């Protein structure tokens, strides 16, 4: 009963996912919107508006709403992962089964791959889907629920040379390249940024999982575009080339959506790779005074290994198995 109810719910909600996503993202960005409005008012001479009691109450409410909305963003990310899986096996696979296994019942010219039957569906659909989506869920879970890495509580007493500051929020020593997150309310070692999509900070312990989650997301969008290209090219001629296209007339937009997602996620993945090979974090990129260490003369491969682990361990990224990933050092020594 539960799987039937769950997938029925997906079928009803998928048409409204874009609107829900826009609302949730707006709520997440509400504190930033309030800050922009206050900055504009200050620029126009209303300098006391920021400290008015009503404005402070609104700011606190916006922060609270944003914190709760981030949980909604994480749920929506899971929804966005699950819906394509459902579309793949509930709608696309029956179409391909009609074409590849049963052939064209209307008597038109058979597709050239009709003879491949079930082997085609297993090799090109079941196995790739299991591999991509298992890695997506695994790295999403590690990025979301793993601790990003916090400074040792007695860093000062231990005499760590890397300690260069003091966090006034945590009332504790703050090592080099550690930053306090106002959302998580902790200091994070080598903080990259706070990510609302995983509802967690990205730091020394979970950066690799976040990076791999983004890369597998890009692979998933490429795979989705490839899957929807076949019915798109064969079902929207006049007349359709295949008899199985009868139920696909209203699904032309799936290919367009897949291409759009591929472009958006691809740009984000390229941005992350660019930061990785230059040794920067998102904070460095957005900062007006980035850390000068990323200008060092080490190779791009060295900088990538400093955050993903030694090159000899990268083959483990193909498999979502904890015992393979737990033994990889998070960062190179001294970085």
């Amino acid at each position: 009963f539960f799987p039937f109810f769950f997938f029925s719910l997906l079928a009803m909600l998928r048409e409204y996912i874009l609107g829900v996503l826009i609302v949730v993202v707006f709520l997440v960005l509400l504190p930033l919107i309030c800050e922009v409005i206050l900055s504009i008012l200050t620029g126009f001479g209303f300098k006391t508006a920021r400290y008015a009691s009503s404005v402070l109450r609104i700011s606190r409410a916006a922060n609270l709403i944003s914190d709760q909305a981030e949980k909604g963003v994480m749920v929506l990310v899971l929804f966005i992962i699950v819906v394509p899986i459902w579309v793949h096996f509930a709608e696309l696979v029956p179409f391909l089964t009609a074409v590849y296994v049963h052939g064209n019942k209307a008597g038109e010219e058979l597709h050239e791959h009709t003879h491949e039957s079930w082997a085609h569906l297993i090799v090109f659909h079941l196995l790739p889907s299991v591999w991509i989506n298992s890695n997506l869920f695994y790295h999403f879970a590690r990025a979301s629920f793993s601790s990003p890495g916090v400074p040792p509580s007695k860093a000062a007493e231990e005499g760590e040379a890397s300690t260069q500051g003091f966090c006034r929020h945590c009332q504790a020593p703050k090592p080099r390249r550690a930053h306090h997150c106002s959302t998580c309310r902790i200091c994070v070692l080598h903080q990259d940024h706070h990510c609302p999509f995983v509802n967690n900070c990205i730091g020394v312990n979970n950066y690799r999982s976040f990076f791999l989650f983004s890369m597998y997301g890009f692979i998933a969008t490429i795979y989705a575009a490839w899957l929807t290209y076949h019915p798109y090219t064969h079902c929207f001629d006049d007349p359709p080339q295949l008899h199985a296209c009868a139920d696909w007339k209203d699904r032309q937009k799936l290919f367009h959506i897949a291409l759009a997602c591929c472009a958006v996620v691809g740009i984000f993945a390229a941005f992350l790779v660019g930061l990785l090979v230059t040794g920067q974090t998102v904070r460095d990129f957005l900062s007006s005074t980035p850390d000068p260490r990323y200008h060092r003369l080490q190779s791009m491969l060295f900088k990538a290994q400093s955050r993903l682990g030694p090159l000899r361990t990268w083959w483990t990224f193909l498999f979502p198995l904890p015992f393979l990933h737990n033994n990889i050092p998070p960062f190179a020594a001294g970085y």
Side-chain angles (χ1 to χ4, degrees):
F1 171 76
F2 179 75
F4 173 78
F5 172 78
F6 180 72
F7 287 115
S8 299
L9 182 64
L10 292 182
M12 291 187 295
L13 294 180
R14 62 176 181 169
E15 297 181 0
Y16 306 101
I17 183 65
L18 181 60
V20 174
L21 182 62
I22 292 173
V23 171
V24 173
V25 170
F26 171 78
L27 294 178
V28 170
L29 296 178
L30 198 56
L32 178 61
I33 295 172
C34 292
E35 183 63 29
V36 170
I37 293 174
L38 289 174
S39 298
I40 294 174
L41 291 175
T42 302
F44 279 98
F46 298 95
K47 297 182 179 181
T48 59
R50 182 184 297 273
Y51 306 103
S53 58
S54 58
V55 173
L56 293 175
R57 285 195 295 269
I58 292 173
S59 297
R60 285 193 293 268
N63 288 324
L64 179 62
I65 292 172
S66 177
D67 292 345
Q68 298 303 315
E70 280 197 11
K71 299 180 178 63
V73 172
M74 187 174 69
V75 172
L76 281 174
V77 170
L78 284 172
F79 187 84
I80 292 171
I81 296 174
V82 171
V83 166
I85 301 174
W86 178 77
V87 172
H88 184 188
F89 289 100
E91 300 189 15
L92 185 60
V93 167
F95 165 81
L96 296 169
T97 302
V99 175
Y100 291 136
V101 179
H102 303 297
N104 193 332
K105 297 180 181 179
E108 295 95 343
E109 183 181 355
L110 292 178
H111 191 270
E112 60 180 349
H113 295 298
T114 301
H115 63 279
E116 297 183 11
S117 68
W118 292 103
H120 183 279
L121 298 178
I122 293 173
V123 172
F124 291 99
H125 297 273
L126 180 61
L127 295 180
S129 180
V130 170
W131 174 62
I132 293 172
N133 291 304
S134 61
N135 275 286
L136 269 177
F137 283 115
Y138 173 75
H139 291 297
F140 175 80
R142 284 181 69 100
S144 297
F145 301 111
S146 297
S147 169
V150 297
S153 57
K154 296 184 179 180
E157 289 79 1
E158 294 172 3
E160 293 189 359
S162 60
T163 301
Q164 292 187 347
F166 187 84
C167 178
R168 60 185 178 86
H169 301 283
C170 300
Q171 293 296 303
K174 184 171 66 173
R176 175 181 54 81
R177 304 205 78 178
H179 299 279
H180 184 84
C181 176
S182 59
T183 302
C184 297
R185 297 179 178 86
I186 57 173
C187 283
V188 178
L189 290 172
H190 207 296
Q191 187 196 41
D192 191 89
H193 66 290
H194 180 87
C195 180
F197 297 106
V198 298
N199 191 32
N200 200 4
C201 269
I202 306 303
V204 64
N205 287 346
N206 62 351
Y207 174 83
R208 185 190 307 114
S209 293
F210 171 76
F211 181 82
L212 292 175
F213 170 66
S214 303
M215 294 303 109
Y216 275 104
F218 180 48
I219 294 172
T221 59
I222 295 175
Y223 182 57
W226 176 77
L227 287 175
T228 54
Y229 176 75
H230 175 79
Y232 177 78
T233 54
H234 287 80
C235 292
F236 299 104
D237 294 332
D238 192 18
Q241 297 182 23
L242 299 171
H243 175 71
C245 293
D247 296 330
W248 272 81
K249 272 299 185 181
D250 59 341
R251 295 175 175 85
Q252 182 177 5
K253 59 185 178 181
L254 286 177
F255 179 62
H256 299 152
I257 293 174
L259 283 183
C261 292
C262 188
V264 172
V265 180
I267 291 172
F268 180 69
F271 171 69
L272 290 181
V273 171
L275 294 181
L276 178 71
V277 298
T278 55
Q280 298 183 78
T281 64
V282 173
R283 288 186 64 96
D284 293 334
F285 179 80
L286 297 177
S287 175
S288 57
T289 55
D291 193 304
R293 293 169 60 86
Y294 77 84
H295 290 295
R296 295 183 306 178
L297 299 179
Q298 280 85 352
S299 66
M300 292 188 294
L301 180 60
F302 172 85
K303 293 172 182 176
Q305 290 183 95
S306 71
R307 306 200 72 184
L308 298 181
L311 182 63
R312 66 179 184 275
T313 65
W314 287 10
W315 65 271
T316 62
F317 300 165
L318 297 173
F319 306 101
L321 301 173
F323 68 88
L324 292 178
H325 294 265
N326 291 339
N327 295 325
I328 303 175
F331 276 26
Y335 196 83

